[in-house]
Structures are given as C-alpha cells and as structure tokens.
Amino acid sequence: MRLTTKGRYAVTAMLDLAIHQGRGPIALADIAQRQGISLSYLEQLFAKLRKCALVTSVRGPGGGYNLARTAAEIRVAEVISAVDENVDTTRCGGAHNCQNNGPCLTHDLWNDLSDHIFEYLNAITLQQLVDKREATQPHPPTTCTTVDVKLDVSRVAANT
C-alpha cells in the first residue's frame, strides 16, 4: 500500500476535527497548529474533503469547518479516497499488466492485500478513533484528601 503524506494528513486533520466537534466551526489554522501541518496544505486537502461532502465550511469571523456527518458515519477509507489516495499494493495499479502486458506471478497476492487493507480502513470510523484515543489518554489526577501518617521511628529502626 502506498499511503502518502496526503492521506495521512487528511485522516489526522479529520480526526482532529472529530475530537473538537461540537465547539462550533473549527478553523484550519487551529488544526494546523495542533497537528503541525502546513495551513496551505490543509486548505488543499479540505477543498477535496468538502467536494466529497465529508466536511462543511462556515465563512466569516468565527468560521471554519465541521464534519458533514457524524464521526460514527465517516470511515477512514472515505477520507483517504477523498484526497485522491488509493489503497493499491500492486505494481501495475490494478491494470493486470505488471509483466509483459499481463499479470505478474504475485499479482493476485498484492491485489488481495489491497482489498484487505481497504476493508480494514473501511471498517474504522472517525468515532472509533476518537473513542480509542480517549480511552488511552491519561486522565487528570482525581482530588485526594490528605492523610496524616505518624511514623514511629524507633519501631522502624528496630526492624532494620
């Protein structure tokens, strides 16, 4: 599979949008800053994501982007496909002309792998990624009460 920076950044940006969803439109500048992705690159990606109806835009002050559907309805494979990425591990791009205008000996192997990768990415939603992230994030410490402990130094010294 040849997943380029374009596909990785698109998934990362969409996941960032899903995490911050519900707080109003999210500015691309905020995503760019949080994820370390060029703003101009994000603009190009989001134009494609908007064209494929994965995001909606809000113009003007306080504008930005929202998910066009719920995070549970958007699959990772859709995001990758929207930015013109494909999940193809064959050398011929699926044209069956890998070797002498015919399929190579391992064409079916690589084609099946491409299918499995697509199925895997198509089975994962943005919401699943959000949930997984939240489950693995360290939680802030809970409030603890102070407990006074008195230590009898003579008893500790006697035991050593």
Side-chain angles (χ1 to χ4, degrees):
M1 175 178 165
R2 194 177 154 256
L3 182 59
T4 65
T5 304
K6 189 188 310 184
R8 292 178 193 275
Y9 282 177
V11 172
T12 299
M14 288 291 284
L15 181 56
D16 185 287
L17 194 58
I19 290 167
H20 295 95
Q21 192 70 25
R23 300 178 189 169
I26 306 299
L28 288 185
D30 293 340
I31 296 173
Q33 181 184 22
R34 284 190 295 263
Q35 302 308 322
I37 302 171
S38 157
L39 178 58
S40 61
Y41 199 69
L42 280 178
E43 289 169 344
Q44 294 171 29
L45 293 177
F46 271 72
K48 292 179 179 191
L49 294 167
R50 192 176 78 241
K51 185 177 180 183
C52 290
L54 293 175
V55 296
T56 58
S57 62
V58 177
R59 294 185 176 265
Y65 286 88
N66 291 306
L67 296 177
R69 304 188 312 258
T70 68
E73 297 173 315
I74 298 175
R75 303 188 172 283
V76 172
E78 286 181 90
V79 175
I80 294 169
S81 295
V83 294
D84 300 329
E85 289 290 293
N86 62 21
V87 181
D88 182 16
T89 56
T90 63
R91 193 171 43 168
C92 63
H96 292 74
N97 61 355
C98 322
Q99 186 177 24
N100 299 326
N101 282 338
C104 65
L105 290 174
T106 55
H107 178 85
D108 291 336
L109 170 70
W110 304 127
N111 194 55
D112 289 348
L113 177 60
S114 297
D115 291 345
H116 285 294
I117 292 170
F118 178 82
E119 289 171 15
Y120 174 75
L121 294 174
N122 201 44
I124 300 172
T125 66
L126 291 179
Q127 187 61 53
Q128 289 172 309
L129 295 176
V130 169
D131 293 345
K132 187 173 184 176
R133 181 183 180 277
E134 288 175 356
T136 60
Q137 287 294 312
H139 296 286
T142 57
T143 306
C144 298
T145 56
T146 305
V147 177
D148 289 328
V149 177
K150 295 183 181 182
L151 181 62
D152 185 348
V153 178
S154 61
R155 292 179 92 189
V156 172
N159 289 335
T160 56

